[in-house]
Amino acid sequence: MSKTPRLSREERYAILERDTFHCVVCGSGGKSSRVILEVDHIIPRSAGGSNHPNNLQTLCVVCHDIKHYGKWTGRAVMFEHTYRRQSEGEE
């Protein structure tokens, strides 16, 4: 089985744009935000996941780390990170 190729810059930008430059899990981000966003394969490439847009999502670095490692690893400096429930006024 051949490995799925990496996404091009254009493909990554198209997914970020589709998701309005927001994390699909917590809602943080925005085009002018300093939140670090990543394009994530829902089914990982290593498990045979494709680069089809339906298998791709925008995640902030915190949600990406939680998905893959079960916790935030602190591998990137976060400037902003507001969970959707906090922005909606929920405790």
Side-chain angles (χ1 to χ4, degrees):
M1 176 169 66
S2 64
K3 191 174 180 180
T4 303
R6 293 182 62 87
L7 291 172
S8 70
R9 254 185 214 171
E10 293 79 14
E11 290 169 316
R12 287 180 188 281
Y13 190 83
I15 299 304
L16 292 167
E17 192 170 48
R18 179 199 69 194
D19 294 339
T20 65
F21 298 90
H22 286 85
C23 175
V24 299
V25 174
C26 73
S28 65
K31 195 165 183 181
S32 62
S33 172
R34 297 192 307 176
V35 171
I36 299 167
L37 298 172
E38 300 189 18
V39 175
D40 174 66
H41 286 82
I42 297 166
I43 299 172
R45 292 171 40 213
S46 61
S50 74
N51 285 342
H52 189 278
N54 290 343
N55 189 45
L56 300 169
Q57 62 185 350
T58 300
L59 296 179
C60 68
V61 70
V62 173
C63 290
H64 184 265
D65 282 359
I66 291 169
K67 175 187 174 189
H68 289 283
Y69 309 111
K71 63 180 179 178
W72 182 43
T73 63
R75 66 187 171 90
V77 175
M78 293 301 298
F79 298 103
E80 300 172 353
H81 187 77
T82 305
Y83 287 95
R84 178 176 291 146
R85 66 175 184 260
Q86 291 173 334
S87 67
E88 293 172 355
E90 296 178 24
E91 292 297 320

